[in-house]
Amino acid sequence: MAKTHVFIDGEQGTTGLQIRERLAGRTDIELITLPEAERKDEARRTQALNDCDVAILCLPDAAAREAAAWVRRDGVRIIDASSAHRTHPDWTYGLPELDPAQAARIAGASRISNPGCYPTGAITLLRPLVDAGLLREDAALAIHAVSGYSGGGRAAIDRFEGEAGDGGRPPSFQVYGLGLDHKHVPEIQQHARLIQRPIFVPAYGAYRQGIVLTIALPLGALRAGVMARHVHAALADRYADTAQVRVAAPVEDASTAILDPQALNGTNDLSLAVFDNGALGQVLLTAVFDNLGKGAAGAAVQNLDLLMAAR
């Protein structure tokens, strides 16, 4: 069988390096790599983008839009790891677990937009509940997530792991996005099929990678008569046949439960759970995964495999 030629544009960035690592040793793929002196050369990048079978863009948003426009050969398929095209109607959203037909859509697409790390957790929790009619589409939701500092890219990694500068080490925990305009919010709203824009509050912890994301469902967010067991059943049913997403069994004594953001580091897995206090009528949704795995590089390789299987 002929090898699939893959070009990672931006391969020296955090996500690009992770993708290379995950593809190392595979005999069904041949990576097209530019010498260091040519990585910023527009002509050489354009040639590589048009010579490959699959281009994976690990670039800032503006550069990703530019690189995508340089691809003119019809046979080239693009996986964009930036946020440039995640709500674009002409690009297929690269979350295979979005609904039962999404993996097939990705396999047949020529332009795939890889999901953001935070949206991956939020959408996998919310979309099945909206589809099942359990969660009100107009519910006012607040989403909170804590990621390892690698979620901030190379600059954040250098701040945490490099020599402390005049400003010293970054704080061990920092909440950001306080303008409530984080770029992931439109992506979450669109693909979770929410009518109201959710409030999203992200944070970084002083550990390298891994995410814990939580969504508290206030009274009135769920439709009349819906209880935590219905929510759990909807998630378990949606992801019963998926390889990467698992739904944890209900915990008898949730007061003893602990969520470790690093529990799935190095994998492409995503763990969802439902906690509740029946006496108070409150439900908490949680997701744990690797922001560099299912939240970035692992998802890109998963989508690459779908494209290759369809060749």
Side-chain angles (χ1 to χ4, degrees), residues 51-227:
D51 285 346
C52 67
D53 298 307
V54 180
I56 304 178
L57 309 182
C58 299
L59 303 165
D61 288 4
R65 293 187 186 96
E66 184 177 54
W70 291 344
V71 177
R72 297 182 178 88
R73 188 170 68 82
D74 290 340
V76 178
R77 305 171 85 178
I78 303 174
I79 298 172
D80 180 11
S82 82
S83 62
H85 300 102
R86 290 175 185 161
T87 59
H88 196 293
D90 295 335
W91 286 66
T92 299
Y93 192 57
L95 181 61
E97 299 84 7
L98 182 67
D99 64 38
Q102 192 66 9
R105 295 189 193 103
I106 293 168
S110 61
R111 300 291 183 269
I112 298 101
S113 181
N114 226 46
C117 55
Y118 294 129
T120 294
I123 293 164
T124 52
L125 286 167
L126 296 172
R127 177 64 178 268
L129 307 185
V130 172
D131 288 350
L134 304 180
L135 178 68
R136 299 176 59 95
E137 301 99 317
D138 61 351
L141 300 176
I143 302 166
H144 180 261
V146 182
S147 170
Y149 56 76
S150 61
R154 178 171 290 181
I157 293 173
D158 289 344
R159 284 198 302 273
F160 276 91
E161 298 181 357
E163 295 295 327
D166 294 340
R169 295 288 183 193
S172 59
F173 183 84
Q174 48 191 314
V175 179
Y176 67 103
L178 297 176
L180 304 181
D181 58 352
H182 194 282
K183 67 179 182 178
H184 286 338
V185 175
E187 178 184 352
I188 295 171
Q189 183 177 5
Q190 176 174 312
H191 296 293
R193 292 183 172 170
L194 301 175
I195 293 175
Q196 283 205 54
R197 178 185 174 96
I199 294 174
F200 176 52
V201 184
Y204 289 138
Y207 60 95
R208 196 173 201 277
Q209 63 197 80
I211 286 178
V212 167
L213 180 143
T214 61
I215 306 174
L217 300 183
L219 294 173
L222 297 171
R223 296 196 181 277
V226 175
M227 303 177 70

Side-chain angles (χ1 to χ4, degrees), residues 14-34:
T14 304
T15 300
L17 289 171
Q18 285 278 322
I19 293 172
R20 282 188 61 91
E21 183 178 320
R22 288 168 184 266
L23 296 179
R26 287 185 54 162
T27 58
D28 56 343
I29 289 172
E30 183 170 327
L31 287 176
I32 298 174
T33 303
L34 297 180

Side-chain angles (χ1 to χ4, degrees), residues 260-292:
D260 177 4
Q262 302 178 84
L264 294 177
N265 281 0
T267 76
N268 193 42
D269 296 334
L270 173 66
S271 179
L272 308 181
V274 179
F275 298 95
D276 79 300
N277 185 312
L280 299 176
Q282 295 177 330
V283 176
L284 181 70
L285 309 177
T286 70
V288 174
F289 55 107
D290 184 354
N291 60 289
L292 298 181

